[in-house]
Amino acid sequence: MSANSSSISFRPAVPDDIPGILELLEEYVRQQLVLPRTAEELQNNYRNFIVAVNDDDGKIVGAVALRPFEGGYFEVRSLAVASEYSGSGLGSKLVAAVLKRAETLRPIAKCVFALTKRPNLFHRLGFRDAPHEAFPGKIWADCLQCPKYHCCDEDAVEYHLD
């Protein structure tokens, strides 16, 4: 069945989804669009993920995580869509799903942000440009170890939940 005629469901990830999420992320890691994730890391953090599942065959065709940081900040990360669904709007639907999840975490959740090479996807959903320095927890957790730290090619975007 083609991507256009498939029915897609969105749900929280479960431990059995880890191999499918890793497989989906593989191409994005190769293209340096997302940071690599290990099976152990996903085992410890699978609850942060929402997956998009093809209802016809049960295959994971999209994934995204909502990672918490101190101060009510949450990062959209590990956004990946199977190549056959590229351009179908599935990425936007996944980001909308994590925004909906973040809304349920209010008043603790105050802001959702992302570092991305595709800021227009986020702008369409109401995100605004932001300086990288607005997210010091992210910088300390990930950016300092990144080989592109001094020449970052990603845009920072934020969505305030108030």
Side-chain angles (χ1 to χ4, degrees), residues 68-87:
F69 281 95
E70 288 185 20
Y73 286 85
F74 286 78
E75 178 191 16
V76 177
R77 68 186 283 159
S78 301
L79 175 62
V81 173
S83 60
E84 64 267 26
Y85 288 84
S86 182

Side-chain angles (χ1 to χ4, degrees), residues 88-105:
S88 70
L90 184 56
S92 294
K93 290 177 183 173
L94 284 161
V95 173
V98 293
L99 284 176
K100 187 175 181 179
R101 179 184 278 181
E103 287 285 348
T104 69
L105 300 173

Side-chain angles (χ1 to χ4, degrees), residues 10-13 21 24-25 34-35 37 41-42 44-52 60 62-69 73-81 91 93-102 105 111-115 122 127 138 142:
F10 298 85
R11 63 168 173 75
I21 295 170
L24 194 60
L25 291 174
V34 300
L35 294 172
R37 306 285 176 241
E41 183 180 3
L42 288 182
N44 293 331
N45 297 292
Y46 72 87
R47 290 173 192 86
N48 294 346
F49 277 85
I50 293 175
V51 293
I60 294 174
V64 65
L66 186 65
R67 178 187 187 188
F69 281 95
Y73 286 85
F74 286 78
E75 178 191 16
V76 177
R77 68 186 283 159
S78 301
L79 175 62
V81 173
K93 290 177 183 173
L94 284 161
V95 173
V98 293
L99 284 176
K100 187 175 181 179
R101 179 184 278 181
L105 300 173
C111 178
V112 177
F113 72 94
L115 297 183
F122 290 89
F127 283 76
K138 169 68 175 174
D142 296 323

Side-chain angles (χ1 to χ4, degrees), residues 7-11 17 51-62:
S7 177
I8 304 296
S9 297
F10 298 85
R11 63 168 173 75
D17 295 330
V51 293
V53 180
N54 179 321
D55 293 333
D56 297 327
D57 61 13
K59 181 180 176 190
I60 294 174
V61 296

